[in-house]
Amino acid sequence: MPVTRGFHRRRPEPERGRLPPGQYDTGSSWPVLSAEATPHQPEESWTFSIDGLVESPHTWTWQELQALPGSTFFGDIHCVTTWSKLDTTFSGVSVDDLLAVARPDPAAAFVMAHSVTGYTTNLPLADVTGGRAWVVWSFDGKPLPRQHGGPLRLLVPHLYFWKSAKWLSRLELMAEDLPGFWEQNGYHDRGDPWREQRYQGDD
Ligand SMILES: Nc1nc2c(c(=O)[nH]1)N[C@H]1C(S)=C(S)[C@@H](COP(=O)(O)O)O[C@H]1N2
Ligand SMILES: [Mo]
């Protein structure tokens, strides 16, 4: 029963409740999980676009992104392979601010995030709005390392980390849900770590 859960159990680690079910704290390490080779396109030629079902498709250059009002996330990230990393700090711009420029069509309900490498991942539009998603280029105040998605990655920390596409080039707004790379390979469409939505068929 949820009400009595933990009542008879000792909880030595004070922060235990911060870990979603089945996750462990990876501490100061940060595993690299990449399906592709790390791309090395320079920042100066990087562009990021929002297109698809929007009123005003828009492409930002690297310099234009840096000039936007900044936004910082401080909190935890959770990989489906069961590591979580606590107290991370990522900075960039909030997806809300980018969408305010592109103006989603009322029919838009899903997003496909595209990496320059061809990696894709799908998300409900509602999961990248409301101050819960960022396009980031710095970690702990330093440029985001290449192997972790630098120069630019998506950050959607309330979902499993495969939704946070590295080397982000594009958010495509869609009316219908289409599976991205891992979702076509058996992973869950939404991927909420607190509900342990790891694989297709999980709740
Ligand atoms: N382009 C791209 N983005 C990606 C991935 C990938 O393989 N390619 N892996 C995803 C997965 S499964 C995780 S857990 C995180 C890993 O990010 P990290 O390598 O910075 O820890 O990136 C996600 N974004
Ligand atoms: Mo992952």
Side-chain angles (χ1 to χ4, degrees):
M1 262 172 75
V3 196
T4 57
R5 213 172 134 204
F7 186 78
H8 300 285
R9 226 186 289 158
R10 293 180 65 88
R11 297 196 159 202
E13 312 96 324
E15 304 245 287
R16 183 169 176 160
R18 285 178 63 179
L19 284 175
Q23 298 294 112
Y24 73 93
D25 178 359
T26 189
S28 59
S29 85
W30 185 3
V32 172
L33 279 105
S34 304
E36 330 88 290
T38 297
H40 287 277
Q41 188 183 319
E43 285 85 11
E44 303 78 59
S45 65
W46 203 274
T47 60
F48 166 73
S49 303
I50 298 186
D51 59 22
L53 281 180
V54 292
E55 287 172 32
S56 181
H58 196 91
T59 298
W60 289 264
T61 64
W62 178 253
Q63 288 77 11
E64 287 166 344
L65 286 171
Q66 312 298 301
L68 293 171
S71 181
T72 293
F73 164 78
F74 177 76
D76 310 337
I77 55 178
H78 313 287
C79 174
V80 72
T81 61
T82 74
W83 57 264
S84 291
K85 188 168 173 57
L86 308 181
D87 296 336
T88 65
T89 306
F90 288 90
S91 296
V93 60
S94 117
V95 171
D96 292 303
D97 288 344
L98 298 166
L99 287 172
V101 175
R103 287 183 284 128
D105 185 283
F110 297 92
V111 176
M112 189 70 83
H114 296 264
S115 301
V116 288
T117 56
Y119 180 93
T120 52
T121 187
N122 56 305
L123 302 116
L125 182 57
D127 276 315
V128 298
T129 51
R132 296 197 296 170
W134 292 261
V135 170
V136 297
W137 51 83
S138 95
F139 175 77
D140 271 355
K142 293 189 277 288
L144 183 64
R146 285 277 166 168
Q147 70 272 25
H148 289 301
L152 203 68
R153 83 179 293 165
L154 184 63
L155 179 70
V156 190
H158 71 284
L159 299 179
Y160 281 125
F161 212 34
W162 87 79
K163 298 290 184 181
S164 296
K166 305 199 276 189
W167 315 300
L168 185 71
S169 59
R170 179 180 171 216
L171 291 180
E172 176 191 13
L173 276 73
M174 314 181 293
E176 279 156 41
D177 198 14
L178 291 171
F181 175 77
W182 285 120
E183 295 82 4
Q184 287 170 38
N185 286 282
Y187 286 84
H188 198 275
D189 260 326
R190 177 140 187 276
D192 180 346
W194 296 96
R195 298 172 67 177
E196 259 201 291
Q197 295 173 332
R198 298 178 192 272
Y199 309 107
Q200 300 288 343
D202 288 349
D203 83 17

